[in-house]
């Protein structure tokens, strides 16, 4: 998979993309991430990418021309499954959406800033808008990093233990059961006996029951959907 990210702050991705699972996925050649500094696509002599909003004093708006230049350049080189804009009023990022997107070959992610982007970009250049939650961030970069992480870890070969993504919360409509590691007892706090039993059937039954119980308490709306199935 190839992910092209358009941003005015490429350095913000240092860290999220240079550590841990995404770093490994890049090293293994499973994913390519290309950062594009929007200022490089500005025709303005000061490399401006934003301007005042028509009819409102407050806040700057990202201009259409540099964004169009960048997206057109990328599209001239390959086809894209989606051109995504990170936006608080977009489709909420969920595990099913991440699952679907992990099958894509090429995507563009545009990060907004300031008051947002000229609406004509959304009307004519963007094919999908995604929100990472009902709150407002200063820019799309953190959202783009979250979206990228949620997708990349689902691509086969990225996680060492293939089943580990499948047993994560939300994959089966349940949240995850609790997990434990050594020591068996700490300050008198013991690991549930069943996990040490070596009996796979008992262990799996316990995990399912714990996951159901947690889902019922923590995410009742998910539990209701599960009950109807
Ligand atoms: N004025 C806009 C918010 C602009 S915030 C409004 O009220 O809707 C600046 C940028 O941050 C946006 O262009 C978007 O790219 C990003 N952003 C903010 N909140 C986000 C969220 N919840 N999910 C994804 N991107 C977000």
């Amino acid at each position: 998979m190839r992910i092209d990210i358009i941003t005015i702050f490429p350095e913000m991705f240092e860290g999220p993309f240079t550590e841990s699972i995404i770093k490994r996925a890049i090293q293994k050649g499973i994913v390519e991430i290309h950062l594009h500094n929007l200022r490089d696509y500005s025709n303005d002599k000061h490399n401006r990418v934003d301007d005042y909003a028509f009819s409102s004093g407050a806040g700057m708006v990202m201009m259409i021309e540099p964004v169009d230049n960048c997206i057109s350049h990328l599209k001239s080189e390959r086809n894209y499954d989606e051109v995504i804009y990170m936006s608080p009023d977009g489709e909420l990022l969920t595990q099913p959406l991440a699952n679907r997107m992990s099958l894509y070959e090429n995507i563009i992610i545009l990060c907004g800033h300031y008051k947002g982007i000229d609406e004509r970009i959304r009307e004519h250049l963007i094919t999908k808008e995604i929100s990472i939650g009902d709150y407002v961030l200063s820019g799309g970069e953190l959202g783009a990093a979250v979206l990228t992480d949620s997708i990349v870890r689902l691509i086969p070969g990225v996680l060492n233990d293939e089943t580990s993504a499948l047993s994560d919360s939300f994959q089966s409509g349940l949240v995850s059961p609790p997990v434990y590691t050594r020591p068996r007892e700490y300050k008198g706090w013991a690991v549930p006996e069943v996990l040490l039993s070596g009996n796979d059937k008992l262990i799996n039954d316990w995990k399912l029951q714990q996951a159901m119980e947690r889902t019922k308490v923590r995410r009742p709306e998910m539990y209701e959907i599960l009950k109807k199935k």
Side-chain angles (χ1 to χ4, degrees):
M1 174 186 266
R2 176 182 165 119
I3 304 176
D4 288 281
I5 299 181
I6 307 173
T7 168
I8 54 171
F9 294 118
E11 290 82 12
M12 281 187 74
F13 294 92
E14 277 285 322
F17 293 170
T18 54
E19 298 292 339
S20 186
I21 290 179
I22 297 197
K23 173 186 174 182
R24 228 172 44 217
I26 294 170
Q27 282 171 345
K28 284 184 182 170
I30 297 172
V31 66
E32 275 178 43
I33 302 178
H34 298 266
L35 300 172
H36 305 277
N37 191 331
L38 190 59
R39 293 189 196 284
D40 297 340
Y41 293 86
S42 165
N43 293 333
D44 176 271
K45 63 174 185 287
H46 302 295
N47 295 341
R48 273 187 77 160
V49 292
D50 60 307
D51 210 332
Y52 294 100
F54 281 126
S55 84
S56 130
M60 304 297 278
V61 174
M62 282 168 64
M63 297 188 291
I64 189 166
E65 193 187 31
V67 174
D68 188 24
N69 288 344
C70 184
I71 292 177
S72 301
H73 165 73
L74 291 172
K75 279 181 161 175
S76 73
E77 295 187 328
R78 68 196 62 76
N79 290 325
Y80 285 91
D81 296 286
E82 297 281 11
V83 182
I84 297 154
Y85 170 51
M86 299 310 300
S87 180
D89 61 2
E91 179 180 346
L92 199 61
L93 176 60
T94 58
Q95 196 63 27
L97 179 58
N99 282 335
R100 284 202 300 280
M101 293 184 67
S102 70
L103 303 174
Y104 289 158
E105 262 172 49
N106 303 312
I107 55 172
I108 294 175
I109 307 177
L110 172 64
C111 305
H113 249 275
Y114 317 116
K115 280 308 277 179
I117 63 175
D118 189 309
E119 186 65 20
R120 290 167 294 182
I121 301 172
R122 302 172 71 169
E123 277 172 20
H124 301 289
L125 304 176
I126 297 298
T127 61
K128 188 170 195 63
E129 303 191 333
I130 297 179
S131 163
I132 64 159
D134 287 348
Y135 40 80
V136 177
L137 302 165
S138 314
E141 285 75 12
L142 294 174
V146 168
L147 175 63
T148 300
D149 188 294
S150 72
I151 296 172
V152 168
R153 63 195 301 284
L154 294 171
I155 303 173
V158 170
L159 296 182
N160 285 336
D161 178 0
E162 286 286 340
T163 60
S164 124
L166 294 178
S167 62
D168 279 338
S169 289
F170 309 114
Q171 284 294 12
S172 52
L174 289 168
V175 301
S176 251
V179 290
Y180 298 85
T181 185
R182 287 181 289 186
R184 287 175 170 217
E185 194 173 315
Y186 179 74
K187 292 185 174 174
W189 304 324
V191 169
E193 204 55 47
V194 57
L195 294 179
L196 313 171
S197 68
N199 182 329
D200 285 346
K201 162 116 184 49
L202 276 183
I203 292 172
N204 287 336
D205 287 352
W206 180 86
K207 284 184 178 171
L208 180 63
Q209 178 250 323
Q210 289 285 318
M212 299 281 278
E213 200 54 43
R214 284 204 161 188
T215 308
K216 190 174 174 182
V217 173
R218 292 171 189 225
R219 300 301 298 269
E221 80 291 356
M222 269 167 69
Y223 189 74
E224 283 308 312
I225 295 172
L226 211 65
K227 266 198 341 199
K228 286 189 194 125
K229 279 186 185 165

